[in-house]
Amino acid sequence: MDFVIRRSYKYRVYLTKAQISNLENQFSMCRHLYNRSLAERTDAYKKDGTAISYNQQQNSLPELKKERPWYRGVYSQVLQDVLRRLDKGYQAFFRRVRTGENPGFPKFRKRGQWNSITYPQYRKRPDSVITVPKIGRVRLVYHREFPEDATVKTLTITREAGKWFACFSAEFPFIAEPEQGLPDPLGIDLGLTDFFYASDGSHVPVPKYFRKKEKQLGRLQRRLAKAEKRSEKYYKILKAVRKCHYRIKCRRSDFLHKTANDLLKKSGLIFYEDLRISDMMRRPKPKQDGDGKYLPNNASAKAGLNKSIADAGWGRFLAILKYKSRRLGKKTLAVPPQYTSQVCSACGEIVKKSLAVRTHRCACGFVANRDLNAALNILRIGMDTLQART
């Protein structure tokens, strides 16, 4: 099947001191424009219920440049993209209101909370040197080939933990490999003891990258809290905190990609539980007695569980697994998660057990690791679902 897909290619760039200063100034101006436009929208709504649109704010940019000439130092399409980001935040807010989710109204950005600018119509292909509007020629580490048939759609210059990157978003025609009979089907059960337990008995322990760095992060954050705000020491410690988070992110991403690759080498058909991860990480509702006094609701224990789920990166892993499988002509399928851990995979009887019980024991004599039993059930449900569809 032939279709167009969009992928991002990220390259390290090295800037001169003048270019870094220029970019930091542009980040500051983009942040101010975002905050000004957000205030304009909220003030208009509070005053007379008027809703200001993206087009209205975009059309006012020429006048704004006359009033505040320093905005001319930022490429015009970058300023338009800032307003587009704000508009997307508003649209997402109203969508969450309609669906009953936590709305999360767009927030004002503090200093240091704006770390990227986007050129929406950048069309030049990456090379060892790229030319960026209002910045100049930038040295790029061309460490991976850019597809010949790819068309560059946007360029984003971003800063992460003191490092600078150029991210090219590209579209190109893609021919998916035809499905090859989907051999060696596997069911996988995601967990917090083992990252996954597969129906063939293989399993991978959870690396716990955040947990391993938690003490170091705690020390840095305590020092940051004690430092004088906006002092040289404050920004030095803040840089160390960001660098620590960046390393955790990189190691987790590397683990998730390699784990997905290993799974897809073994199997052409992978079943997994259709987990609602965001619901699993919600805070417990407060409990009150008749007098309105708050009662214990295990919020601290739930916070620890939520932290472990976020550290594992289940959602990111499943997203990686899906797009890699499609590219390789393989298949993934979600199955309902109900009772996969409780039902005996050998006889079908329900054997109730708490999360603390890690071994499945059934009256029929079948004994197995709890997660292996769940993986076998996931495989069976997945195969039954496929047969029902055909």
Side-chain angles (χ1 to χ4, degrees), residues 197-211:
Y197 217 112
S199 54
D200 64 352
S202 61
H203 53 98
V204 174
V206 174
K208 299 181 181 179
Y209 292 114
F210 180 80
R211 292 289 191 181

Side-chain angles (χ1 to χ4, degrees), residues 92-109:
F93 165 74
F94 289 117
R95 184 181 66 250
R96 288 190 294 266
V97 169
R98 288 194 300 270
T99 56
E101 301 176 45
N102 183 19
F105 190 79
K107 296 180 180 179
F108 290 98
R109 302 294 182 90

Side-chain angles (χ1 to χ4, degrees), residues 7 257 318-328:
R7 290 185 63 184
H257 277 277
L318 293 175
I320 291 170
L321 193 65
K322 288 174 190 176
Y323 89 76
K324 284 181 180 288
S325 64
R326 187 175 70 167
R327 188 180 66 191
L328 297 171

Side-chain angles (χ1 to χ4, degrees), residues 357-371:
V357 179
R358 306 307 306 167
T359 303
H360 170 81
R361 299 179 187 275
C362 183
C364 70
F366 181 70
V367 179
N369 181 285
R370 174 198 181 98
D371 296 335

Side-chain angles (χ1 to χ4, degrees), residues 107-368:
K107 296 180 180 179
F108 290 98
R109 302 294 182 90
K110 299 178 183 178
R111 179 182 173 183
Q113 290 186 338
W114 197 278
N115 291 302
S116 68
I117 56 174
T118 299
Y119 299 85
Q121 295 182 15
Y122 193 88
R123 294 294 179 265
K124 296 178 183 178
R125 297 169 61 84
D127 204 344
S128 57
V129 176
I130 58 172
T131 303
V132 184
K134 300 287 186 179
I135 297 172
R137 290 168 62 83
V138 175
R139 187 160 60 94
L140 179 144
V141 181
Y142 191 65
H143 71 282
R144 62 185 298 195
E145 288 294 327
F146 194 79
E148 289 293 333
D149 55 351
T151 303
V152 177
K153 306 300 288 185
T154 67
L155 167 65
T156 300
I157 303 295
T158 182
R159 175 179 57 191
E160 296 182 48
K163 298 178 175 64
W164 294 87
F165 298 92
C167 303
F168 295 84
S169 178
E171 281 186 355
F172 56 95
F174 181 74
I175 302 174
E177 293 289 334
E179 294 182 358
Q180 304 291 333
L182 306 176
D184 305 318
L186 276 181
I188 59 170
D189 180 59
L190 300 176
L192 296 177
T193 302
D194 292 295
F195 180 72
F196 76 81
Y197 217 112
S199 54
D200 64 352
S202 61
H203 53 98
V204 174
V206 174
K208 299 181 181 179
Y209 292 114
F210 180 80
R211 292 289 191 181
K212 289 175 181 177
K213 289 285 186 179
E214 199 168 10
K215 287 185 178 179
Q216 180 184 348
L217 270 173
R219 286 195 297 268
L220 287 171
Q221 286 166 343
R222 284 193 293 272
R223 289 175 57 196
L224 184 67
K226 293 177 182 177
E228 183 183 349
K229 293 291 178 67
R230 297 180 177 83
S231 64
E232 184 178 350
K233 181 180 178 182
Y234 176 86
Y235 286 113
K236 184 177 179 180
I237 301 171
L238 181 61
K239 183 179 178 180
V241 171
R242 288 172 174 168
K243 188 174 182 180
C244 191
H245 277 294
Y246 176 73
R247 286 179 173 174
I248 293 168
K249 171 191 166 184
C250 290
R251 288 170 183 172
R252 184 187 293 119
S253 180
D254 181 68
F255 166 77
L256 297 177
H257 277 277
K258 288 179 177 176
T259 304
N261 288 337
D262 291 342
L263 263 179
L264 290 168
K265 285 177 184 176
K266 291 198 301 181
S267 174
L269 177 59
I270 299 173
F271 302 104
Y272 60 91
E273 289 179 306
D274 188 13
L275 300 173
R276 293 189 174 184
I277 299 171
S278 58
D279 290 348
M280 294 172 66
M281 295 177 63
R282 282 185 178 175
R283 295 178 181 177
K285 292 182 179 179
K287 295 180 181 179
Q288 291 178 285
D289 59 15
D291 299 327
K293 183 180 179 181
Y294 285 97
L295 302 173
N297 64 344
N298 294 324
S300 58
K302 186 67 170 63
L305 177 63
N306 293 348
K307 188 185 296 184
S308 296
I309 293 173
D311 190 17
W314 293 342
R316 177 68 178 147
F317 172 72
L318 293 175
I320 291 170
L321 193 65
K322 288 174 190 176
Y323 89 76
K324 284 181 180 288
S325 64
R326 187 175 70 167
R327 188 180 66 191
L328 297 171
K330 299 184 178 183
K331 193 170 185 178
T332 59
L333 183 66
V335 303
Q338 289 80 10
Y339 300 106
T340 52
S341 296
Q342 308 294 335
V343 173
C344 178
S345 59
C347 67
E349 290 294 323
I350 293 180
V351 182
K352 292 186 178 181
K353 45 190 172 292
S354 66
L355 286 171
V357 179
R358 306 307 306 167
T359 303
H360 170 81
R361 299 179 187 275
C362 183
C364 70
F366 181 70
V367 179

